[in-house]
Amino acid sequence: MHNLIQKYRNSVQVGNIHIGGNAPVIVQSMTNTDTENIAATVQQIIELYQAGSELIRITVNTESATRAVPAIYEALDKQQCNVPIVGDFHFNGHKLLSKYPETAKLLDKYRINPGNVGRGKKRDTQFTTLINIAGQHNKPIRIGVNGGSLDQELLAKMMDSNQQQKNPQPGQHIIREAVIQSALNSAKLAEDIGLAKDKIILSCKMSGVQDLIAVYQSLAQRCDYPLHLGLTEAGMGNKGIITSTAALAVLLQQGIGDTIRISLTPRPGASRCEEVRVAQDILQALALRSFLPNVISCPGCGRTSSDYFQHLAQDIQQYLEQQMPHWKQRYPGVENMSVAVMGCVVNGPGESKQANIGISLPGSGEQPVAPVYEDGNKTVTLKGQNIAAAFQKLVQNYVQKHYS
């Protein structure tokens, strides 16, 4: 972990995982099913878990959803899926957890938004109820502040105070500070009520890249709670992926962040698992964790007018993704393997030699003849139209030989 400004973080146990301390950065996700639909929710949880999500949040917003939680746990247990489940509460969490103690006992963590706990005099009472229930059942909580649902009373008070200053700060600066104070004040109140410090995780999600970076850099210097990172309402497709990466990469490189979630808007009909893969790709790109063998492939140029190597790179990428559920059980460390698929003789041999196993295809206008390198040594030259299948077999043999 790069450690430019981060303080040592407390460690919080959530189910069977640890967050903070010396633990790796944990990948989170959230279902978008109606929690009352037990079968659909269980199916999506399993899909997210199999994709690599290590912590999964579900919406708990109605009595029916609250009553569904025990059945969800039972179904997951039957399918041997023991991923920790987080209950996401807004507005009525104090009522739901009070009325359904079995759900309060089962959930591995609660997520509370200080801006949505209550208004006026009810706020402290309802927040206290939630914290007392968490303490009673020995549950960790995430105090998750969102820029879009910030405590308006706190924000108005800070804005008024700012306007009375001789040199008032820009409004956006006050919004950032209000988000931070909401999180820190809520955490202090939770401790004052009696919740142990090692049961608290904080997040301060914003929808703007620069806002998120500024807020978390300040928050990291002002507390030692574990921090959950995420750009809220990141967007769809490339926009959501790029903005999330731009924000989180800066913070993770500075050692800030103990869990992450990529809040992508799913494409219609697309799998929810895309957000998990993006989170893994960010962590792997920063060399913070490894999840899948790394495929190194060139972009192509005028020497690679044939698209043969593009198909080969795609085939190898898909092959590795398909094999990993099996490989990660039998071949520990295989996620650190590098595979090079290069398209011409300029950089091809050099990149292939530096990878664990690599193939270097010829340039345009040539018959497919491709030397294969393993750990820097040329082992075989593949020829003809069956290079892809032959190379996949060589990759399989390499894995069996080196990671058994």
Side-chain angles (χ1 to χ4, degrees), residues 7 12-13 137 143 181 189 208 239 333 389 392 395 400:
K7 297 179 180 179
V12 175
Q13 184 166 350
H137 296 288
I143 296 174
Q181 287 197 24
L189 178 57
K239 185 267 182 184
Q392 286 183 12
V395 171
Q400 292 174 342

Side-chain angles (χ1 to χ4, degrees), residues 31-41 59 61-62 64-65 68 72:
T31 60
N32 62 353
T33 57
D34 183 346
T35 307
E36 298 176 19
N37 187 335
I38 295 168
T41 301
T59 297
N61 59 334
T62 65
S64 296
I72 290 170

Side-chain angles (χ1 to χ4, degrees), residues 14-17 19 26-33 35 40-60 69 72-73 76 81-88 106-111 142 228 259-261 272-273 275-276:
V14 182
N16 57 2
I17 65 172
I19 296 173
I26 298 299
V27 174
Q28 295 194 29
S29 60
M30 184 177 183
T31 60
N32 62 353
T33 57
T35 307
T41 301
V42 169
Q43 179 181 347
Q44 192 172 82
I45 289 172
I46 292 173
E47 289 173 355
L48 290 166
Y49 174 66
Q50 291 176 342
S53 183
E54 296 157 303
L55 197 64
I56 298 175
R57 182 158 47 114
I58 64 174
T59 297
V60 186
V69 170
I72 290 170
Y73 268 85
L76 291 172
C81 178
N82 63 346
V83 63
I85 304 297
V86 181
D88 189 66
L106 282 171
L107 287 169
D108 295 280
K109 189 177 86 170
Y110 310 153
R111 188 272 178 142
R142 171 160 70 92
H228 169 68
T259 74
I260 65 171
R261 185 202 170 197
R272 187 72 162 176
C273 297
E275 67 176 53
V276 178

